[in-house]
Amino acid sequence: MHFLRPLLCSPSLTWILVAAAFAVVTPRAAHAEALLVVEADTGKVLQADNATMPWYPASVTKIMTAYVTLKAVKEGRLSLDTLLTVSPVAASQSPSKMGFPAGTQVTVDNALKMMMVKSANDMAVVLAEGVGGSVDGFSGMMNQTAQRLGMTQTSYVNPNGLPADGQVTSARDLAMLARAVIRDLPEYEYFMHIPSIRYGRRVTQNFNKLIGRYPGADGFKTGFICASGYNLVASATRNGKRLIAVVLGSSSGHQRAVRAAQLLERGFGGGLGWLKPALGTVDNLVPVDATPPNLREEMCNGKRKRPATDEDADVVASNGNASAGETAVAFFTAGLQPPTGKPSELLAAAAEPSEPIPVYTGPTKTGAALIAAVAAEAEKQASSAKRGKKSKIAAKKPDAAAPKAEASAKPAAKPAAVRHANAKPEVAAKPTPAAASAEKKPAAKPAAAKPVADKPVAAKPAAVGDKPAPKPAKPNAAAKPKGETKPAG
């Protein structure tokens, strides 16, 4: 970089270089998106784009839910071992959730882990009701805390971030909240970067893709609703320096992680600090008086299938700006930072192996009791899965048997049809009607054969005009089976 210094004596050349550097390094946003990266300890802003634009928070709301709950724990108003009960209101929340029935009890500790890793909406309500008495009471506590922290653009209506009128924040306010967690709750900060949890046999990975993939990643939370797009508050520490990155309105779960990694890489690189204007501290950013952008049409229209929750399917949005930005940063900061892979490559790799933290219902358990509780829940889930499979098989069996019954019925019907088709031998049957009827009803025929002699049958033509007409009537009655055998035979 020393060869550039003589050129910087010329003001015109200086501005040309600055403009060229920003044109190459700063990727152009494809759509409405808010980006911010700050130093955790000083609050110094390293990059800000739409940082004070009002935004729908989605599940990053749960960072405040955790903060208010853990402050109550720290102040002794309850403990991590306090048992809370799942209410009907909590059980009725939309996914993502644990799905416990009303009446289930869970500790504050387990509820926090489930909420922060699985983004469980029902656990957020359990904590809200346990700490604030009700959702509305807890929301009031959240708003009071936001005002105390200087989050002047934030308003909360519920503890989980599900769509609601008046639930608004900004990248600026979320960075301030993340700084407060680091500053005020260092002993409980591990809740913000748990890689995964295990409930019985079910293992849930943290939706924050930086955890276990990006070097030094150590926080915080993801969020998604159609109106907000994919949001992420992330942090990472490298060489004793900790940065906080906020991404709001990204196009996919993967893309928000790539964006955050790009922001962190630039912040840690620091090679272009001398080219950037001073942006001050995060609390001095000027709020924008505007309506939050609504990305529903872009995120959840009929052409783009989107999950109803923050459980992203890892669909990478086609965006050439990401790789261009990575290449530019690698070019300008080469030799100024430890070599690392491109953010997109880092985040596409499998997470570092780690042992999932067990979570469970009921009172706090340790040692053998904890192992037994986890094993019991795993067995319960296995039994439930077996019952589910059996019921599905049982439900399918009648359907499978029905065709067999039909198939077996058809062959039974075919012989009748064959007999009917072979009814031509009726000519041969006419001289001996008694023989055919004798095969079908052997007991009845001998009785009928006694009153009906061979001669009266032969005397049919001669007896038509005689008085003893009633006698020939009996052969006519006996002849009725001949007519019945035609449709049957």
Side-chain angles (χ1 to χ4, degrees):
M1 294 297 179
H2 294 288
F3 70 93
L4 292 174
R5 290 177 181 172
L7 298 176
L8 296 179
C9 296
S10 170
S12 59
L13 287 175
T14 300
W15 285 111
I16 291 173
L17 287 172
V18 171
F22 274 102
V24 176
V25 174
T26 305
R28 178 177 54 83
H31 62 275
E33 199 173 34
L35 307 174
L36 177 64
V37 59
V38 304
E39 293 180 351
D41 55 348
T42 65
K44 180 182 178 182
V45 177
L46 304 181
Q47 181 177 336
D49 298 301
N50 298 321
T52 59
M53 175 71 70
W55 217 275
Y56 298 116
S59 282
V60 295
T61 296
K62 296 180 175 99
I63 301 175
M64 178 60 86
T65 301
Y67 181 88
V68 173
T69 299
L70 290 169
K71 282 287 286 184
V73 170
K74 189 169 184 176
E75 294 169 2
R77 287 181 277 136
L78 72 166
S79 74
L80 292 177
D81 297 329
T82 299
L83 273 175
L84 304 177
T85 302
V86 178
S87 70
V89 173
S92 68
Q93 297 301 298
S94 300
S96 176
K97 63 180 181 178
M98 295 301 295
F100 299 140
T104 304
Q105 289 191 313
V106 62
T107 62
V108 171
D109 178 77
N110 281 311
L112 281 166
K113 291 171 180 174
M114 296 170 188
M115 180 183 73
M116 295 305 292
V117 176
K118 186 175 173 58
S119 199
N121 292 321
D122 50 356
M123 293 298 101
V125 172
V126 167
L127 291 168
E129 294 175 334
V131 177
S134 67
V135 168
D136 290 340
F138 189 78
S139 298
M141 297 173 67
M142 296 168 74
N143 287 322
Q144 290 174 4
T145 302
Q147 292 300 311
R148 178 175 61 82
L149 297 177
M151 300 168 61
T152 57
Q153 294 184 279
T154 297
S155 174
Y156 294 110
V157 178
N158 62 52
N160 48 32
L162 287 173
D165 292 337
Q167 188 103 347
V168 182
T169 190
S170 68
R172 165 191 177 271
D173 283 9
L174 289 170
M176 296 174 70
L177 175 58
R179 292 189 68 214
V181 171
I182 297 170
R183 180 186 66 243
D184 301 337
L185 302 168
E187 64 269 56
Y188 302 118
E189 201 190 319
Y190 61 88
F191 285 107
M192 307 296 162
H193 55 82
I194 298 172
S196 60
I197 58 173
R198 179 191 299 277
Y199 177 63
R201 300 195 308 165
R202 303 170 192 166
V203 175
T204 302
Q205 301 292 330
N206 198 313
F207 296 145
N208 180 357
K209 303 297 182 187
L210 274 66
I211 302 296
R213 294 179 177 84
Y214 183 80
D218 48 17
F220 280 88
K221 187 72 185 71
T222 60
F224 169 80
I225 59 173
C226 294
S228 74
Y230 287 87
N231 302 339
L232 172 61
V233 179
S235 67
T237 304
R238 188 179 297 174
N239 299 324
K241 181 180 180 180
R242 189 169 188 179
L243 301 180
I244 297 167
V246 182
V247 177
L248 303 178
S250 198
S251 55
S252 73
H254 178 88
Q255 193 62 30
R256 71 185 167 194
V258 171
R259 285 275 192 252
Q262 290 173 346
L263 292 173
L264 294 170
E265 280 296 291
R266 293 168 198 154
F268 285 126
L272 298 176
W274 57 279
L275 287 174
K276 296 178 181 178
L279 299 175
T281 58
V282 63
D283 53 311
N284 289 329
L285 292 175
V286 180
V288 174
D289 184 12
T291 301
N294 191 327
L295 307 182
R296 173 175 293 277
E297 181 61 25
E298 183 176 351
M299 293 292 158
C300 300
N301 60 29
K303 297 179 181 179
R304 300 184 67 182
K305 293 182 179 180
R306 287 298 182 189
T309 73
D310 196 35
E311 299 184 49
D312 181 48
D314 274 344
V315 179
V316 182
S318 58
N319 190 333
N321 297 322
S323 58
E326 291 170 9
T327 303
V329 171
F331 173 78
F332 273 94
T333 61
L336 299 176
Q337 60 182 345
T340 59
K342 292 181 179 180
S344 58
E345 294 173 352
L346 290 172
L347 300 174
E352 294 180 359
S354 62
E355 185 64 25
I357 294 179
V359 294
Y360 50 90
T361 58
T364 299
K365 300 176 181 66
T366 58
L370 173 58
I371 295 173
V374 173
E377 182 57 40
E379 180 62 26
K380 179 180 177 182
Q381 292 173 7
S383 300
S384 178
K386 287 180 181 178
R387 287 194 299 270
K389 288 181 181 179
K390 287 181 180 179
S391 63
K392 287 181 180 179
I393 294 172
K396 290 180 180 179
K397 277 185 177 179
D399 298 333
K404 290 182 180 178
E406 292 176 1
S408 61
K410 287 178 181 178
K414 283 180 181 178
V418 170
R419 289 177 187 174
H420 183 72
N422 294 339
K424 292 179 181 179
E426 281 178 0
V427 178
K430 285 179 182 178
T432 56
S437 62
E439 290 179 2
K440 296 181 180 179
K441 298 179 181 179
K445 285 299 178 180
K450 289 180 181 179
V452 181
D454 296 338
K455 289 181 180 179
V457 174
K460 272 184 181 180
V464 172
D466 298 339
K467 291 181 180 179
K471 290 182 179 179
K474 289 182 180 179
N476 291 339
K480 286 182 180 179
K482 184 185 289 185
E484 290 176 358
T485 55
K486 286 184 180 179

